[in-house]
Amino acid sequence: MGLETEPLFQAWSYFRRRKFRQCSELCSQLLEGAPGEQENDTGYSAFQAAWSLKTRALTEMVYVDEIEIDQEGIAEMMLDENAIAQVARPGTSLKLPGTSQGGGPSPAVRPITQSGRPITGFVRPSTQSGRPSTMEQAIKTPRTALTARPISSASGRYVRLGTASMITNPDGPFINVSRLNLSKYAQKPELAKALFEYIFHHENDVKNVYLRLDQPVTALNLFKQGLERFPGEVTLICGIARIYEEMNDISSAAEYYKEVLKQDNTHVEAIACIGSNRFYSDQPEIALRFYRRLLQMGVYNYQLFNNLGLCCFYAQQYDMTLTSFERALFLAENEEERADVWYNLGHVAVGIGDLNLAYQCFKLTLVNNNDYAEAYNNLAVLEMQKGHIEQARALLQTASYLAPHMYEPHFNFAILSEKVGDFQRSYMAAQKSEEAFPGHIDTQQLIKQLKERFAML
């Protein structure tokens, strides 16, 4: 005869493993019984604990981070009449790239977005592309995590429409909000927070207002004031980590994400961001542990297996590399996702020295996503090695047009032009490379050589 687990503890175990459906069903069974007596140490009964746990489970099933999903539309970005400082002080602006006080990773190690921020470990719409400078750039840039289309004024704010109705009880809603005595629950903080989040995310009765002020330092101070009032609150600590990440202060962001995990070791965003930071810090073995943790928690998507494949390859665990990428291709839901997998497979092929396989993988990347600038750049390098100068030049020009924030296409074009004797184009491309990555030593040396050649003419 096997050991029987206490039902409330079993429900809590389901919640920690992100099996919210099973948790909600088990709590419903507990709530069908009579309310129990209060516990001496907590002052709350098992009935109240089951009620609170079910409320949190229902909330997590439809949870959407309102701060991140409320994205600015094209009209709000391009027609914004609010004036901001064009030359912000270092570390005081999120809209202007390059204002970090240090601590940001090098573009040579970690890819960056067109706004100048490093790619994070967790997809958030507001950090994917930044503020476009032209209407053309705004239209062709993906703005949300769920679609490649740029959002209009409201398309990013109601992505969960119709999902809450799918998990309501057949006998009616779990909580009748209109009949609640809110003052009673306000006196019990443990129940009040769970109830508020349920109403906010599940019933959608609360409307929120966003203030888009480019004042990250003020926001940090407000978050820290909140931590003084509610120490250990995960939402506040995570908000601080996000701001530091957007300010390119990756080291501070990582420290706050660690604090998040101390309070909630199942927090997906914190685990993913720390794993990404470890990977780009040349620690793929440690990153692999974090991504495996996500897999144990029930996260099962192409992004996770894509990252697992890269970590396995750079950690020299070759037996799991191709298996992970095969699973990622199987789970990819659209062409953009498949393009990411083929692109990484191309890097694996380059790493093992199979340039023909790498060429085919980068070609398949462009078949799935014709705007993949990194694939154009890598194909150009392979064409240069084959001696196909004109093809390489055309690919590099395409890459630099699609991703002007990348320094690699500009630098490669400068090298190619210098080899064929076109020093003027080489110098112009090298200047663009230096503008995109001022600390690139090879670009600086190339510009110095070109200036010496010009002086000799």
Side-chain angles (χ1 to χ4, degrees):
M1 182 176 180
L3 296 176
E4 293 185 1
T5 306
E6 201 276 332
L8 185 59
F9 179 80
Q10 180 67 35
W12 174 245
S13 177
Y14 280 138
F15 183 84
R16 298 287 288 178
R17 287 180 287 159
R18 304 185 66 80
K19 297 182 178 181
F20 303 123
R21 174 78 64 179
Q22 294 92 321
C23 175
S24 175
E25 293 174 352
L26 188 54
C27 288
S28 298
Q29 297 176 11
L30 294 173
L31 292 174
E32 291 176 358
E37 297 181 356
Q38 292 185 353
E39 299 290 341
N40 295 328
D41 55 345
T42 64
Y44 294 92
S45 66
F47 182 88
Q48 291 174 322
W51 181 90
S52 177
L53 186 57
K54 180 177 179 179
T55 302
R56 292 182 61 186
L58 293 176
T59 301
E60 288 292 338
M61 293 171 73
V62 295
Y63 178 77
V64 174
D65 196 328
E66 298 291 337
I67 295 177
E68 296 296 342
I69 209 64
D70 185 78
Q71 178 66 291
E72 291 180 297
I74 294 178
E76 294 165 314
M77 289 183 298
M78 303 307 300
L79 304 179
D80 188 5
E81 296 180 353
N82 298 322
I84 64 171
Q86 298 300 316
V87 183
R89 290 179 296 169
T92 62
S93 176
L94 297 177
K95 296 181 180 179
L96 299 177
T99 60
S100 173
Q101 292 180 338
S106 167
V109 177
R110 186 168 185 167
I112 62 173
T113 64
Q114 68 184 24
S115 63
R117 301 190 187 111
I119 293 177
T120 61
F122 195 82
V123 176
R124 294 193 291 267
S126 66
T127 60
Q128 291 305 293
S129 56
R131 201 174 184 87
S133 56
T134 63
M135 181 63 74
E136 179 186 4
Q137 189 179 29
I139 292 175
K140 74 178 184 180
T141 302
R143 299 299 302 170
T144 73
L146 302 178
T147 174
R149 295 176 57 250
I151 68 168
S152 59
S153 60
S155 63
R157 304 175 189 173
Y158 305 106
V159 294
R160 69 177 188 275
L161 186 63
T163 57
S165 61
M166 295 190 299
I167 63 172
T168 54
N169 295 332
D171 299 330
F174 171 53
I175 298 176
N176 193 336
V177 180
S178 61
R179 299 179 60 182
L180 282 178
N181 184 356
L182 297 180
S183 60
K184 172 184 174 183
Y185 286 94
Q187 299 174 2
K188 300 179 179 181
E190 290 80 0
L191 299 180
K193 179 184 176 182
L195 177 61
F196 169 78
E197 291 181 344
Y198 173 85
I199 296 174
F200 187 73
H201 294 286
H202 192 280
E203 299 297 331
N204 301 325
D205 279 355
V206 180
K207 306 301 179 183
N208 54 354
V209 179
Y210 294 89
L211 299 177
R212 298 190 182 95
L213 298 177
D214 187 23
Q215 299 179 359
V217 177
T218 304
L220 286 173
N221 292 334
L222 289 175
F223 273 125
K224 291 176 181 178
Q225 290 176 16
L227 283 177
E228 294 177 359
R229 178 67 176 83
F230 302 100
E233 174 56 43
V234 172
T235 306
L236 300 177
I237 302 175
C238 190
I240 294 175
R242 290 173 182 169
I243 293 178
Y244 275 125
E245 201 168 39
E246 292 190 23
M247 294 169 64
N248 289 6
D249 193 347
I250 302 299
S251 57
S252 298
E255 291 300 321
Y256 276 96
Y257 279 128
K258 291 178 183 177
E259 290 295 324
V260 171
L261 292 183
K262 290 179 181 179
Q263 303 296 329
D264 180 9
N265 57 11
T266 63
H267 198 277
V268 175
E269 180 178 352
I271 296 174
C273 288
I274 293 177
S276 176
N277 185 44
R278 291 293 186 179
F279 177 80
Y280 287 115
S281 299
D282 199 20
Q283 297 175 319
E285 299 87 354
I286 300 178
L288 189 59
R289 293 171 55 188
F290 283 95
Y291 290 129
R292 283 178 174 171
R293 170 64 174 165
L294 291 177
L295 195 61
Q296 293 171 352
M297 290 167 49
V299 179
Y300 197 80
N301 52 33
Y302 104 93
Q303 292 94 340
L304 178 57
F305 282 100
N306 197 12
N307 293 346
L308 282 171
L310 286 175
C311 289
C312 288
F313 177 72
Y314 287 104
Q316 299 183 6
Q317 299 184 13
Y318 302 118
D319 55 333
M320 291 297 297
T321 301
L322 292 181
T323 303
S324 298
F325 282 124
E326 287 177 356
R327 188 62 57 87
L329 281 174
F330 176 76
L331 294 174
E333 297 179 352
N334 53 55
E335 293 180 345
E336 286 79 9
E337 294 179 353
R338 283 190 288 272
D340 288 336
V341 181
W342 282 117
Y343 177 76
N344 288 330
L345 278 170
H347 271 287
V348 171
V350 171
I352 62 178
D354 192 342
L355 299 185
N356 290 327
L357 176 60
Y359 188 86
Q360 295 299 324
C361 289
F362 292 137
K363 281 287 188 180
L364 286 171
T365 302
L366 297 179
V367 168
N368 288 280
N369 184 2
N370 200 35
D371 293 334
Y372 213 108
E374 293 86 351
Y376 282 109
N377 178 74
N378 292 355
L379 278 174
V381 174
L382 295 177
E383 294 287 2
M384 288 171 62
Q385 292 184 350
K386 295 179 180 180
H388 302 160
I389 303 301
E390 293 303 321
Q391 292 91 325
R393 177 176 294 182
L395 290 169
L396 289 173
Q397 288 177 335
T398 303
S400 59
Y401 170 75
L402 292 173
H405 64 280
M406 289 174 52
Y407 78 94
E408 293 94 336
H410 300 302
F411 175 72
N412 291 335
F413 189 84
I415 291 292
L416 181 62
S417 299
E418 193 266 343
K419 286 183 178 180
V420 299
D422 192 346
F423 300 133
Q424 181 64 31
R425 287 189 177 182
S426 177
Y427 183 74
M428 293 173 62
Q431 285 184 317
K432 293 180 180 179
S433 175
E434 186 181 33
E435 182 180 352
F437 184 13
H440 193 224
I441 302 299
D442 293 337
T443 300
Q444 295 174 359
Q445 292 178 349
L446 178 60
I447 292 177
K448 181 179 179 181
Q449 294 175 4
L450 291 172
K451 287 182 177 179
E452 293 175 353
R453 286 180 180 273
F454 291 148
M456 295 171 59
L457 296 177

